[in-house]
Each structure stands twice: as structure tokens, then as C-alpha cells.
Amino acid sequence: MKPKFSVPNAGGGVDGPFADADLIGPELRDWAAAHYRRTVPVLRVWQHRAWLYGAAHYYAVGWTVLISLSLPFLIPYVTDGDGSRLLVQALSVFGAVVFGLHRTFKAEENYGKYRLHESSVYTLVRKLVDDPEQLGATDAERRRRYLAEIERIRERARNDEINNLPSPSSPPRIGPVTPIPEQRESDGYRSAAPGPLSGGASP
């Protein structure tokens, strides 16, 4: 099931998807083709990680659903004499471990992130090839806009890589956060809570 991650041409010729980009000038077309060739290694990394997290996600979901549906039919046959009790216990532990790893390493979330980064690059490429006016009126404007969008996508991907730490759960809140009410006075702002002075006035 493991793919080969072959994305150098993205269905095009030697110049990749820009081989037949007739709506832009030759200078921009050559620059975009060279830039895309430099982007291919990053796309391959994103594709590989998307496949890895996607496979982990479907593996965990498949086993969790299978175990959840099979346990009600297996439990009536559990006895003390054979290994049926051990089988049910092993299935329960295995399902819990798989589900816990899926949640801890955020398989579904990371799969969606890397697929989105890869797809965003392809969408931007299609804009430059099929409708370059979306990126600007001249080739110079289109080049600057295309480069800025690519950098924005890569920056978002780098942030996701840095923040991609296992998180079993969100930390619990210590208690409710109650803001201190304030009221407007003619001489400025002051707290409405009673102060230490006599009569309950604030300082």
C-alpha cells in the first residue's frame, strides 16, 4: 500500500505543470518551472507525512471499530476454562492502546494539515497556469504574488512541524476565571469591588 511519492512533474513534462502555460510569458514560465523543481522535495516530504499519518489514522479507526463491534458477540462465550477471557482482555487492551496512540500523536489532524499544505501548492500552480490574472496584471506582479503565497504556505507548514508535539489531552482549568468588574466614574476608572477603607469605598 505504500506509495512511491513521485511528484516531480505533477502530470506535466520536463518543466512540470508549467510546460503548457501559454497565458504567461516565457521568462515567468522558465522561472516558475525552476522554482517548482526546487519545491518538489518539500512536496514529497509533505506527501510522505500525509500518507504516514493517514495510514495510522485508518489503521486505528479500523481496529477500534472492529473490536467495538466484536466484543458484544465474544463476551457471551467467555469462560474460565479456556483462553477466551485472555482473548477478550487482549483485544480490549490493544484497542485502548491503538486509540490512545492515535489521539496522542494527532494522526487525523496531522494528516489533514500536510494534505492541505500540498494541495495549497497545487492550487496556486493551477492559478498561475490557468488564470494568471488572479495573481496580478503583469508577469512581474504574478511572480511576486506567487512567491509570497509559496512562502506563506511553507511558513504555515513550518509552524505545524514545530508545534507537532504529542498532546494526550488539554490541561484542565484550575478554576473559573472571573473578571473584576469596573465602573466608569467622572474622574476615571476604578474597581467596583469594596476596598479596605471605611464605608466600602475604593481607594
Side-chain angles (χ1 to χ4, degrees), residues 93-146:
V93 172
F94 178 73
V97 170
V98 169
F99 180 77
L101 292 176
H102 174 273
R103 181 180 178 86
T104 300
F105 289 96
K106 300 177 286 188
E108 182 180 7
E109 179 182 352
N110 287 320
Y111 167 71
K113 285 181 179 179
Y114 287 110
R115 282 291 294 120
L116 178 61
H117 300 325
E118 183 189 2
S119 179
S120 297
V121 174
Y122 297 146
T123 301
L124 184 61
V125 168
R126 284 193 297 269
K127 285 183 180 180
L128 186 58
V129 173
D130 299 330
D131 191 8
E133 293 184 357
Q134 295 188 39
L135 301 178
T138 64
D139 282 352
E141 295 178 1
R142 296 162 187 169
R143 176 176 176 173
R144 288 194 297 268
R145 179 71 180 275
Y146 179 88

Side-chain angles (χ1 to χ4, degrees), residues 8-192:
N9 297 332
V14 178
D15 293 333
F18 298 100
D20 300 325
D22 298 330
L23 299 180
I24 58 179
E27 182 179 355
L28 177 59
R29 182 166 58 247
D30 294 340
W31 174 87
H35 186 276
Y36 184 81
R37 286 193 293 268
R38 294 192 299 270
T39 311
V40 164
V42 179
L43 293 175
R44 188 176 290 113
V45 170
W46 293 346
Q47 195 177 64
H48 182 274
R49 292 181 180 177
W51 175 88
L52 179 64
Y53 285 112
H57 169 65
Y58 290 114
Y59 179 85
V61 170
W63 273 111
T64 302
V65 172
L66 181 62
I67 292 174
S68 300
L69 294 177
S70 62
L71 283 180
F73 298 97
L74 294 177
I75 289 177
Y77 298 97
V78 173
T79 61
D80 296 330
D82 52 18
S84 57
R85 182 185 298 274
L86 182 62
L87 173 63
V88 171
Q89 291 175 347
L91 286 176
S92 302
V93 172
F94 178 73
V97 170
V98 169
F99 180 77
L101 292 176
H102 174 273
R103 181 180 178 86
T104 300
F105 289 96
K106 300 177 286 188
E108 182 180 7
E109 179 182 352
N110 287 320
Y111 167 71
K113 285 181 179 179
Y114 287 110
R115 282 291 294 120
L116 178 61
H117 300 325
E118 183 189 2
S119 179
S120 297
V121 174
Y122 297 146
T123 301
L124 184 61
V125 168
R126 284 193 297 269
K127 285 183 180 180
L128 186 58
V129 173
D130 299 330
D131 191 8
E133 293 184 357
Q134 295 188 39
L135 301 178
T138 64
D139 282 352
E141 295 178 1
R142 296 162 187 169
R143 176 176 176 173
R144 288 194 297 268
R145 179 71 180 275
Y146 179 88
L147 186 59
E149 291 294 325
I150 287 290
E151 290 301 320
R152 182 181 62 84
I153 295 171
R154 298 188 66 170
E155 183 66 24
R156 188 170 65 239
R158 281 192 293 268
N159 290 335
D160 290 338
E161 292 174 358
I162 293 173
N163 297 326
N164 186 25
L165 297 177
S167 68
S169 61
S170 301
R173 296 180 60 179
I174 303 300
V177 179
T178 304
I180 299 176
E182 295 182 351
Q183 69 179 33
R184 180 114 184 196
E185 296 290 342
S186 59
D187 56 350
Y189 289 93
R190 68 178 186 177
S191 173

